Amino acid sequence: MIKVPVVNRVDYTMYLELCEGMLWFHTDIRKWNKEVKVKYLEDLDLLQYLVSVPIVALVAKNNTKLAKFGKVTGWVKFNKVMFNNIEYDVFTRSK
């Protein structure tokens, strides 16, 4: 699968990856502060509006920092999966 960059900013990049009929979200964050958070959420909201389908993200069960970040940015846990003997939570974000 190929992650396609869809939002490219100095402070972060957002990617989408089509896999098994679902749009998976990935992000690389290079800098985080109050101003970046505001712009990040604006871009994430616009991205969600433009794709018009739910996007999902995979978070390892033991990655509490990433899970907390997801909740703060509007993601909701909706499922669990096992992959390579590792338990993951699947988060979704819809408009």
Side-chain angles (χ1 to χ4, degrees):
M1 303 305 141
I2 297 173
K3 295 189 317 188
V4 177
V6 292
V7 177
N8 195 11
R9 304 275 187 212
V10 171
D11 299 321
Y12 55 86
T13 303
M14 296 177 181
Y15 306 86
L16 289 177
E17 177 182 14
L18 181 61
C19 181
E20 297 187 22
M22 299 177 75
L23 281 177
W24 294 87
F25 179 81
H26 305 269
T27 191
D28 294 329
I29 298 176
R30 292 173 281 284
K31 177 183 173 186
W32 192 256
N33 59 36
K34 185 178 177 181
E35 292 80 24
V36 173
K37 179 181 178 184
V38 169
K39 187 63 181 163
Y40 183 91
L41 290 174
E42 287 174 1
D43 285 339
L44 188 54
D45 288 342
L46 179 58
L47 176 62
Q48 184 62 61
Y49 173 78
L50 291 171
V51 298
S52 73
V53 297
I55 53 179
V56 292
L58 201 60
V59 177
K61 189 74 169 174
N62 64 355
N63 193 340
T64 56
K65 184 177 177 180
L66 184 56
K68 181 179 177 182
F69 174 80
K71 290 177 185 175
V72 167
T73 55
W75 296 81
V76 177
K77 184 172 29 173
F78 85 102
N79 202 358
K80 293 183 208 178
V81 296
M82 290 292 288
F83 182 70
N84 292 336
N85 293 322
I86 300 172
E87 187 176 2
Y88 291 89
D89 289 320
V90 180
F91 285 75
T92 187
R93 190 171 196 277
S94 301
K95 42 182 175 167

